[in-house]
């Protein structure tokens, strides 16, 4: 019954990678806490780099300097 | 003053249906808890089926098997 | 499969009232969008009035003036 | 290490305005609580007006009457 | 820079188990998406069984029938 | 109408400090985006250090090494 929300910047995660995240988190909750995978919900949200801030500035700016 | 966040898969909910959800949840909070509807906020988030996992796999895969 | 998060101030909602919210929201999602109630998840979070702000001040202060 | 999630209606906030929100919130947490800005995360989510409800109706309808 | 929020029912997860969740999710995001673990944030929220609903009823009731 | 959720570790923030956060965020949204403070909602959540992870470990462990 756990609910997991994963927020990442929108920078090209593929369907395959997202499927791996869903599988990996569901497995982890079963292994660590014995949670039934049947009712584990995982929601991935991809956020534009303009809308994600770290250390007081957007990831858009951060990426430009890299 | 309640805040309600409804997450559903993005599978064609219409503006009319979303209006019904907003009205229904706001009414419910008034009936059950006496919350003033004026300041009840409802936010609906529609999530791509690739980004929603249940039972360890994405809803995209689930829908393909249905 | 919907996930609903209801945030209210912690001001004495009873177990019975919370059960009504859970039932009401689950029914609403079935009626409006045909969502299977079996996998509808509702999480209620009760927030201390010190930690809830509206119009720039805490609900604690708001309640003192009422 | 704080995590701040700002939800607003999608009504044309610019990259510059979003940068100001990120900077402003990060500064505020440093001033008030001494939080290290390096690890303060701010995520802005812009929500379609059809998907945002207040007082039992969508912001789309609200805006039409204004 | 990912942000992960894990919600589970409050049913006795230990500090050790929570540490395993934090480590496991952080590792997963590094393996699958190459995310720098230094800035991966994981927040676990434990929710009273009265406040968690599935299939239209609270987990408190569900547990009583098990 | 914005909704802001601030998550911080539970490490002794006072009512006064939380009031400053509420006021500061509400003011910021008015200054930057012209948002009406009357309907700006701010919810602060304080999370136990066992339940907050950064860089793959809990803040409880992090604090012990400081």
């Amino acid at each position: 019954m756990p609910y997991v929300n994963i927020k990442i910047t929108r920078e090209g995660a593929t369907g395959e990678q997202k499927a791996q995240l869903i599988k990996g988190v569901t497995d982890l909750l079963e292994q660590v806490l014995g949670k039934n995978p049947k009712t584990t919900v995982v929601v991935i949200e991809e956020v534009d780099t303009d809308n994600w801030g770290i250390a007081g500035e957007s990831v858009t700016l951060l990426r430009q300097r890299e």
Side-chain angles (χ1 to χ4, degrees), chain A:
Chain A
M1 222 157 14
Y3 169 79
V4 181
N5 183 237
I6 300 174
K7 286 191 210 290
I8 53 175
T9 44
R10 191 188 310 279
E11 300 180 276
T14 64
E16 173 55 31
Q17 289 172 319
K18 290 188 272 193
Q20 288 176 37
L21 289 181
I22 289 167
K23 182 71 167 62
V25 168
T26 305
D27 286 354
L28 182 71
L29 282 156
E30 186 177 18
Q31 289 157 20
V32 175
L33 292 175
K35 296 294 184 185
N36 183 351
K38 288 260 171 57
T39 51
T40 294
V41 175
V42 181
V43 171
I44 300 168
E45 292 179 84
E46 296 172 273
V47 176
D48 290 343
T49 55
D50 265 12
N51 290 19
W52 193 296
I54 176 96
E57 65 179 10
S58 74
V59 174
T60 302
L61 287 179
L62 205 74
R63 292 288 183 254
Q64 286 172 1
R65 282 206 311 276
E66 284 176 353

